[in-house]
């Protein structure tokens, strides 16, 4: 594992040394247009899929079979971030890179993401880990491979870590998990986004979230998901209103604690995992990573640069995380199939 790429190897040229620029470019339309055609290979021949989330929950996804002509290395499952989807730039880019290495790729949409608002009446929230674990089990049963590896970004990274923590008890043969810039302490992260990050980050997320909530209301006009006045509230205010209206948590703090992986929450992880983040991430403070109490099987890799889920190398807009993820997935595959 010593020859694998490390966060310290990512040394972008100026001005990509700016965490804010990295973060803004990571999901920008500019990046999507400039990416090479190879970054969209995973779309070719992708099969749209409905996945069982348990208790009647249906999630959507897309499966793309590798086409190297040889045997599949394994199944790579990818989780997007909050208000992203299976078609987010970073998901397509990573999926395409893994496809070229011979991995079959499954991209999963969380509830109410990727135009799936009409499938389930109840709203998405970040504590819906049970349905994601159930869906992961359904995916692995339907596409069994010698090796299954999972990668997630931002909130998807948080889900990936929690899913890996629960996989053994759920009987899911997951071999490895990798989280890029995962949300660690939601209470601190929410506060950081409101108090210390530039205003345009919160504006970006709030715009996408409000659009999503309106799409949900359109899909189920008989339900009242929110008051119009609530939509005008801050990130914290709207989150609290929806938590109190639609969940049994009783308080915003209890809800945020419900999906925290801070401090020693991952101490019982039995599956090998890697957490990659950047010291200059303006969305998720690096302090939460430095306070993690991790078992020996979890690798914590803090790069100096990269912003939030950026790690963009140069004018080609390709991310360092593609090779980073592929190298670790390939190493796990080789170690698993070796006698």
């Amino acid at each position: 594992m010593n020859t694998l790429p490390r966060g310290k190897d990512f040394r972008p040229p100026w001005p990509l040394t700016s965490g804010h620029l990295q973060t803004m470019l990571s999901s920008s339309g500019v990046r999507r247009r400039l990416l090479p055609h190879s970054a969209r290979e995973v779309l070719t021949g992708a099969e749209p899929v409905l996945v069982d989330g348990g208790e009647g929950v249906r999630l959507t996804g897309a499966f793309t079979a590798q086409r190297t002509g040889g045997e599949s290395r394994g199944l790579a499952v990818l989780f997007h971030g909050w208000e992203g989807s299976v078609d987010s730039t970073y998901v397509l880019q990573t999926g395409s890179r893994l496809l070229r290495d011979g991995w079959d790729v499954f991209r999963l949409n969380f509830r109410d993401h990727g135009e799936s608002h009409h499938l389930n009446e109840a709203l998405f929230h970040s504590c819906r880990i049970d349905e994601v674990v159930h869906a992961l089990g359904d995916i692995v049963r339907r596409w069994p491979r010698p090796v299954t590896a999972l990668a997630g970004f931002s909130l998807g990274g948080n889900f990936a870590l929690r899913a890996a923590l629960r996989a053994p008890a759920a009987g899911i043969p997951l071999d490895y998990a990798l989280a890029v810039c995962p949300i660690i302490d939601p209470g601190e992260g929410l506060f950081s986004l409101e108090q210390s990050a530039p205003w345009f980050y919160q504006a970006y997320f709030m715009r996408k979230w409000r659009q999503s909530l309106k799409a949900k209301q359109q899909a189920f006009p008989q339900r009242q998901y929110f008051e119009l006045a609530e939509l005008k509230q801050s990130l914290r205010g709207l989150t609290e209103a929806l938590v109190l209206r639609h969940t049994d948590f009783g308080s915003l703090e209890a809800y945020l604690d419900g999906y925290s992986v801070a401090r020693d929450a991952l101490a019982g992880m039995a599956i090998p995992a890697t957490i990659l983040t950047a010291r200059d991430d303006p969305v998720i403070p690096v302090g939460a990573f430095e306070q993690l109490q991790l078992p020996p099987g979890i690798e914590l890799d803090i790069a100096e640069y990269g912003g939030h889920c950026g790690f963009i190398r140069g004018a080609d807009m390709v991310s360092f995380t593609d090779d980073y993820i592929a190298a670790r997935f390939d190493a796990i595959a080789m170690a698993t199939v070796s006698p």
Side-chain angles (χ1 to χ4, degrees):
M1 295 284 276
N2 291 335
T3 59
L4 295 174
R6 301 271 303 161
K8 62 181 173 57
D9 301 327
F10 179 61
R11 296 286 173 180
W14 185 89
L16 292 172
T17 47
S18 163
H20 292 305
L21 183 59
Q22 285 278 354
T23 302
M24 287 186 287
L25 284 175
S26 65
S27 298
S28 71
V30 172
R31 181 186 182 199
R32 196 175 182 93
R33 286 192 296 272
L34 290 178
L35 275 172
H37 179 71
S38 60
R40 289 181 277 274
E41 283 177 14
V42 76
L43 289 170
T44 305
E47 173 193 349
V49 177
L50 267 181
V51 182
D52 179 15
E55 298 184 353
V57 173
R58 295 174 297 164
L59 303 180
T60 62
F63 173 78
T64 310
Q66 65 91 23
R67 39 188 180 267
T68 61
E71 286 190 19
S72 169
R73 271 190 190 266
L75 179 67
V77 182
L78 303 179
F79 290 172
H80 59 77
W82 184 41
E83 294 305 332
S85 76
V86 298
D87 292 327
S88 290
T89 301
Y90 51 90
V91 175
L92 297 181
Q93 185 175 301
T94 302
S96 297
R97 175 67 178 82
L98 291 167
L99 204 63
R100 290 195 293 277
D101 272 14
W103 290 82
D104 298 316
V105 177
F106 193 99
R107 297 168 286 137
L108 179 70
N109 274 321
F110 298 139
R111 177 194 294 240
D112 295 348
H113 289 71
E115 300 182 356
S116 66
H117 300 80
H118 62 288
L119 287 176
N120 307 285
E121 189 169 345
L123 277 176
F124 169 81
H125 62 69
S126 300
C127 291
R128 294 199 184 278
I129 183 62
D130 289 347
E131 65 191 44
V132 172
V133 171
H134 198 285
L136 182 61
D138 186 35
I139 292 162
V140 173
R141 279 190 297 274
R142 289 163 69 178
W143 289 279
R145 298 293 185 270
V147 181
T148 300
L150 170 63
F153 302 82
S154 193
L155 179 60
N158 171 283
F159 268 97
L161 292 171
R162 287 184 289 151
L165 192 61
R166 290 161 173 76
I172 300 171
L174 182 65
D175 296 287
Y176 177 67
L178 194 154
V180 179
C181 299
I183 294 172
I184 299 296
D185 184 341
E188 183 180 322
L190 193 68
F191 180 78
S192 168
L193 198 58
E194 283 196 325
Q195 301 297 326
S196 54
W199 65 270
F200 45 81
Y201 292 126
Q202 186 178 175
Y204 171 79
F205 284 116
M206 289 301 291
R207 178 180 61 81
K208 295 192 78 172
W209 192 20
R210 289 183 183 115
Q211 287 173 344
S212 178
L213 288 171
K214 288 174 181 176
K216 188 71 172 184
Q217 188 64 76
Q218 247 185 339
F220 295 95
Q222 74 278 13
R223 285 283 303 268
Q224 183 179 16
Y225 291 102
F226 50 82
E227 302 275 358
L228 285 177
E230 290 169 350
L231 283 190
K232 298 174 183 175
Q233 294 191 59
S234 66
L235 176 60
R236 181 178 290 266
L238 181 54
T239 303
E240 183 169 29
L242 294 180
V243 164
L244 296 179
R245 183 188 292 263
H246 295 288
T247 77
D248 298 324
F249 283 99
S251 72
L252 176 62
E253 291 70 26
Y255 165 69
L256 296 174
D257 285 345
Y259 67 103
S260 171
V261 293
R263 294 168 289 281
D264 64 350
L266 298 172
M269 176 91 84
I271 290 169
T274 298
I275 299 171
L276 171 67
T277 192
R279 198 168 293 282
D280 64 356
D281 184 335
V283 176
I284 302 176
V286 72
F289 294 90
E290 294 173 328
Q291 292 165 22
L292 286 171
Q293 298 163 36
L294 300 172
I298 300 185
E299 170 191 29
L300 175 61
D301 194 356
I302 302 176
E304 289 300 313
Y305 308 104
H308 185 65
C309 295
F311 297 94
I312 295 166
R313 299 183 314 198
D316 63 359
M317 293 291 145
V318 172
S319 176
F320 165 79
T321 57
D322 293 355
D323 289 340
Y324 186 95
I325 293 169
R328 278 164 175 74
F329 276 27
D330 291 348
I332 290 293
M334 286 188 285
T336 304
V337 299
S338 295

